[in-house]
Amino acid sequence: MTQVDFYVLPDTTLDARLAFACRLTETIQRKGYRLHLHAEDEAMARQLDELLWTFRPDAYVPHALAGSEMASQVPVVIGWQGPPDPAEEHPQAMLNLHPEIPEWFSRFERVAEIINQHQEVLMAKRACWKTYKDRGYPVKAHQLAGQEGRG
């Protein structure tokens, strides 16, 4: 059964949420997981693509956008539409930055969700928490200290 982890940030900005997403992506990739990073839309996917190159000067997270020729060769693929293409990627984990839970989330061993104190994110992710719990999935919350200025 899919394990779901919620990371709760004290920050209110969407930029802080994306910055933490980059750090979490690096951690997940270093642990050997293939990761599907599920963005809200193409604009967020492209922003994450850029941030993964620049979020820390000494970081290297091999990644590609879904559908690109590199998607089958890297451990992190960023998508925003449907489920990962099994011919392209075989992810074990998903980091969901979309406000809703994709209906295909249960194909992953692990799902990570990031909550911060931005009102829209709070409302959307509270609903996600309830949905996972109501369906019987194991859900764990990780309360995090301030992330501003870290890197």
Side-chain angles (χ1 to χ4, degrees), residues 44-133:
M44 179 187 275
R46 292 191 182 285
Q47 184 178 8
L48 286 163
D49 180 36
E50 184 63 34
L51 282 171
L52 284 170
W53 290 114
T54 61
F55 78 99
R56 223 181 58 226
D58 62 338
Y60 174 65
V61 178
H63 67 280
L65 291 171
S68 72
E69 61 186 53
M70 292 297 297
S72 64
Q73 301 170 36
V74 295
V76 176
V77 176
I78 306 165
W80 63 92
Q81 294 171 319
D85 181 347
E88 243 181 38
E89 50 174 315
H90 301 284
Q92 302 142 310
M94 177 179 67
L95 174 48
N96 184 30
L97 294 171
H98 195 283
E100 299 173 4
I101 303 168
E103 61 186 42
W104 34 266
F105 78 93
S106 62
R107 68 174 57 181
F108 301 97
E109 295 171 26
R110 307 286 302 261
V111 171
E113 299 267 5
I114 301 173
I115 301 176
N116 70 345
Q117 306 309 305
H118 187 277
Q119 198 57 39
E120 289 177 25
V121 174
L122 273 173
M123 288 177 23
K125 292 305 168 182
R126 282 181 182 145
C128 291
W129 176 282
K130 183 176 179 350
T131 299
Y132 288 124
K133 291 294 280 183

